[in-house]
PDB file of all heavy atoms in Angstrom:
ATOM      1  N   GLU A 328      -5.148  31.613 -26.618  1.00 94.00           N
ATOM      2  CA  GLU A 328      -5.823  31.365 -25.337  1.00 94.00           C
ATOM      3  C   GLU A 328      -6.710  32.553 -24.960  1.00 94.00           C
ATOM      4  O   GLU A 328      -6.669  33.059 -23.836  1.00 94.00           O
ATOM      5  CB  GLU A 328      -4.808  31.050 -24.240  1.00 94.00           C
ATOM      6  CG  GLU A 328      -3.974  29.815 -24.574  1.00 94.00           C
ATOM      7  CD  GLU A 328      -3.185  29.279 -23.395  1.00 94.00           C
ATOM      8  OE1 GLU A 328      -3.319  29.827 -22.295  1.00 94.00           O
ATOM      9  OE2 GLU A 328      -2.459  28.290 -23.585  1.00 94.00           O
ATOM     10  N   GLU A 415       5.775  19.289 -23.344  1.00 97.00           N
ATOM     11  CA  GLU A 415       6.198  17.927 -23.067  1.00 97.00           C
ATOM     12  C   GLU A 415       7.186  17.947 -21.908  1.00 97.00           C
ATOM     13  O   GLU A 415       7.799  18.981 -21.608  1.00 97.00           O
ATOM     14  CB  GLU A 415       6.844  17.294 -24.308  1.00 97.00           C
ATOM     15  CG  GLU A 415       8.102  18.010 -24.767  1.00 97.00           C
ATOM     16  CD  GLU A 415       8.660  17.416 -26.048  1.00 97.00           C
ATOM     17  OE1 GLU A 415       8.065  16.459 -26.553  1.00 97.00           O
ATOM     18  OE2 GLU A 415       9.693  17.925 -26.519  1.00 97.00           O
ATOM     19  N   LYS A 458       3.323   5.581   6.910  1.00 97.00           N
ATOM     20  CA  LYS A 458       2.904   6.578   5.924  1.00 97.00           C
ATOM     21  C   LYS A 458       3.462   6.170   4.565  1.00 97.00           C
ATOM     22  O   LYS A 458       4.629   5.797   4.455  1.00 97.00           O
ATOM     23  CB  LYS A 458       3.438   7.971   6.276  1.00 97.00           C
ATOM     24  CG  LYS A 458       3.096   8.457   7.681  1.00 97.00           C
ATOM     25  CD  LYS A 458       1.649   8.874   7.782  1.00 97.00           C
ATOM     26  CE  LYS A 458       1.351   9.470   9.170  1.00 97.00           C
ATOM     27  NZ  LYS A 458      -0.066   9.838   9.320  1.00 97.00           N
ATOM     28  N   TYR A 509       4.251 -21.849  30.581  1.00 98.00           N
ATOM     29  CA  TYR A 509       4.768 -23.206  30.738  1.00 98.00           C
ATOM     30  C   TYR A 509       6.211 -23.221  30.264  1.00 98.00           C
ATOM     31  O   TYR A 509       6.595 -22.485  29.353  1.00 98.00           O
ATOM     32  CB  TYR A 509       3.935 -24.201  29.923  1.00 98.00           C
ATOM     33  CG  TYR A 509       4.098 -25.630  30.405  1.00 98.00           C
ATOM     34  CD1 TYR A 509       3.481 -26.066  31.565  1.00 98.00           C
ATOM     35  CD2 TYR A 509       4.873 -26.526  29.694  1.00 98.00           C
ATOM     36  CE1 TYR A 509       3.617 -27.367  32.013  1.00 98.00           C
ATOM     37  CE2 TYR A 509       5.028 -27.842  30.128  1.00 98.00           C
ATOM     38  CZ  TYR A 509       4.401 -28.256  31.299  1.00 98.00           C
ATOM     39  OH  TYR A 509       4.548 -29.546  31.746  1.00 98.00           O
ATOM     40  N   PHE A 513      15.766 -28.610  27.903  1.00 95.00           N
ATOM     41  CA  PHE A 513      16.384 -29.330  26.792  1.00 95.00           C
ATOM     42  C   PHE A 513      17.903 -29.248  26.933  1.00 95.00           C
ATOM     43  O   PHE A 513      18.434 -28.466  27.732  1.00 95.00           O
ATOM     44  CB  PHE A 513      15.942 -28.733  25.445  1.00 95.00           C
ATOM     45  CG  PHE A 513      16.296 -27.276  25.263  1.00 95.00           C
ATOM     46  CD1 PHE A 513      17.531 -26.904  24.746  1.00 95.00           C
ATOM     47  CD2 PHE A 513      15.401 -26.269  25.625  1.00 95.00           C
ATOM     48  CE1 PHE A 513      17.861 -25.571  24.579  1.00 95.00           C
ATOM     49  CE2 PHE A 513      15.727 -24.935  25.463  1.00 95.00           C
ATOM     50  CZ  PHE A 513      16.960 -24.590  24.939  1.00 95.00           C
ATOM     51  N   ILE A 533       0.382 -12.027  17.927  1.00 98.00           N
ATOM     52  CA  ILE A 533      -0.921 -11.743  18.520  1.00 98.00           C
ATOM     53  C   ILE A 533      -1.947 -12.720  17.966  1.00 98.00           C
ATOM     54  O   ILE A 533      -1.879 -13.118  16.794  1.00 98.00           O
ATOM     55  CB  ILE A 533      -1.353 -10.285  18.237  1.00 98.00           C
ATOM     56  CG1 ILE A 533      -2.540  -9.911  19.138  1.00 98.00           C
ATOM     57  CG2 ILE A 533      -1.692 -10.081  16.762  1.00 98.00           C
ATOM     58  CD1 ILE A 533      -2.805  -8.415  19.193  1.00 98.00           C
ATOM     59  N   GLY A 647      -2.546 -11.778  28.385  1.00 98.00           N
ATOM     60  CA  GLY A 647      -3.938 -11.510  28.060  1.00 98.00           C
ATOM     61  C   GLY A 647      -4.590 -10.629  29.097  1.00 98.00           C
ATOM     62  O   GLY A 647      -3.918  -9.891  29.836  1.00 98.00           O
TER      63      GLY A 647
END
Side-chain angles (χ1 to χ4, degrees):
E328 300 193 3
E415 62 184 0
K458 306 285 185 182
Y509 200 76
F513 60 87
I533 194 165

